[in-house]
Amino acid sequence: MPQPPVRTESQRRGRTLAPATTQAKTPWDAAVNHFLSEGRRRNLTAATLENYDWYLRGVRIEAFRADCGVEEPGDLTAALLQRFETELMEAGLGAGTVHTFHTVIQNFIRFCRREGYEADPDVLEVSGPRRAQREPETFSQEEEERLFAALKSRPRDEMMLRFMLRTGLRLQEVCNATVDDIVDTPQGAYVRVRQGKGRKDRAVPLDTPLEPLSAKLARYIAKVRPRDTKQRALFLTQRKDGADYAPLTPHAIQTLMKRLTADTGVHVNPHKFRHTFATRALGAGVDVMALQKALGHTTLAMVSRYVHYQKDDLLDAWRQRRD
């Protein structure tokens, strides 16, 4: 049996794992199945596992593997990973998407080496593409007014988007929210987010001095949301052919947002609501650690991207320094 290679300095520092003592040739699909099975054991969300599956077995990587003869994890070399990422960039994919491919593939190769599958350690030394540092896209006040003016005759959609704008919930979290998750206490009302990203529960306040959302939600539940249903989801589809209502899906909400973009000229996407919520919360003086909890981020580093000056704030600060 060949001796394992000498560990590099980066490996000694923990950037990569030591090679397994035994390595077996394993088809790519079989290794991916094992990787996903381990993810289920670790209680990763279904959405996370679905994303992993797409990045490791979707049409883009399948076409590349077929062209380059990558039939097993061990067939993927550092040079091939770099070539794949270059092709993705040349095909017009954003740096963020290509970086996600990079991260998922490296996590997969790291798993393969840990499990004793043949895999090239040099793949783990490849640096990912640099991502542009841009401020998160947010809604201006004028855009918000145009958006909700277009939804005046659609109370469910209006309430749902107000809910997203005032809570910063992720798309899947909005679909998972139920009427039982709207909690009113003497200290204030909040929405209980059950098993959000990372399997973490959290609470997000509903009321601010500018907008008491809990009162609007109560009216929506009492007067707009269908009562003749066994469903507990906060936002429901229309009834079809006498069947019961069903919870709205992320795909349905994304379709709604595409139509709103076409109707209003305002660029609408799920992350823009979350970014607007976070940016406004910091602007109103909300503590960064409290915002971290409300957003469901694991680290403050994820929140730091919202800590930025708006254009007018920067100009004011510059004038004050000059004066």
Side-chain angles (χ1 to χ4, degrees), residues 33-49:
N33 286 338
H34 189 182
F35 179 68
L36 297 177
S37 177
E38 175 63 10
R40 285 189 288 273
R41 185 194 67 78
R42 291 168 50 209
N43 203 28
L44 299 183
T45 65
T48 296
L49 294 171

Side-chain angles (χ1 to χ4, degrees), residues 154-165 167 169-179 182 191 213 216-217 220-221 224-226 229 231-238 245-250 252-253 256:
R154 297 151 61 184
R156 182 205 64 182
D157 296 343
E158 179 184 1
M159 186 69 255
M160 180 177 62
L161 297 192
R162 286 192 187 279
F163 181 75
M164 294 179 68
L165 190 62
T167 63
L169 266 62
R170 301 178 177 93
L171 191 59
Q172 187 62 59
E173 293 169 347
V174 173
C175 296
N176 292 345
T178 71
V179 292
I182 308 302
V191 56
L213 185 63
K216 293 183 178 181
L217 269 173
Y220 164 79
I221 293 171
V224 177
R225 182 184 179 277
T229 178
Q231 292 285 350
R232 303 300 292 170
L234 190 58
F235 301 108
L236 300 170
T237 62
Q238 300 296 321
Y245 298 89
L248 272 180
T249 64
I253 297 176
L256 160 67

Side-chain angles (χ1 to χ4, degrees), residues 163 167 169-170 173-174 176-177 181 190-197 200-204 294:
F163 181 75
T167 63
L169 266 62
R170 301 178 177 93
E173 293 169 347
V174 173
N176 292 345
D181 293 328
Y190 65 90
V191 56
R192 179 172 49 210
V193 184
R194 301 175 185 268
Q195 297 290 289
K197 188 175 182 180
K200 298 184 292 288
D201 291 351
R202 68 184 192 276
V204 181

Side-chain angles (χ1 to χ4, degrees), residues 41-157:
R41 185 194 67 78
R42 291 168 50 209
N43 203 28
L44 299 183
T45 65
T48 296
L49 294 171
E50 184 178 350
N51 284 335
Y52 283 170
D53 195 13
W54 185 83
Y55 282 107
L56 293 172
R57 289 196 290 214
V59 291
R60 291 187 181 276
I61 195 167
E62 285 292 289
F64 180 81
R65 286 180 50 228
D67 289 343
C68 297
V70 178
E71 298 179 357
E72 305 164 353
D75 294 333
L76 181 68
T77 64
L80 284 177
L81 175 60
Q82 292 170 322
R83 173 180 164 182
F84 177 52
E85 293 174 357
T86 299
E87 290 184 5
L88 292 176
M89 297 288 285
E90 290 175 347
L93 268 68
T97 301
V98 179
H99 194 278
T100 304
F101 268 106
H102 176 87
T103 301
V104 172
I105 290 171
Q106 284 195 335
N107 285 344
F108 171 61
I109 294 300
R110 193 173 287 111
F111 166 84
C112 289
R113 289 180 56 73
R114 186 172 68 244
E115 294 299 317
Y117 302 146
E118 184 177 342
D120 186 348
D122 290 343
V123 171
L124 303 178
E125 300 293 339
V126 177
S127 299
R130 294 183 61 182
R131 291 174 289 184
Q133 298 297 314
R134 298 188 180 94
E135 290 189 352
E137 186 182 15
T138 61
F139 290 107
S140 68
Q141 193 62 44
E142 187 269 338
E143 287 178 327
E144 182 181 337
E145 291 172 358
R146 283 165 57 192
L147 191 63
F148 289 115
L151 293 171
K152 279 191 173 181
S153 61
R154 297 151 61 184
R156 182 205 64 182
D157 296 343

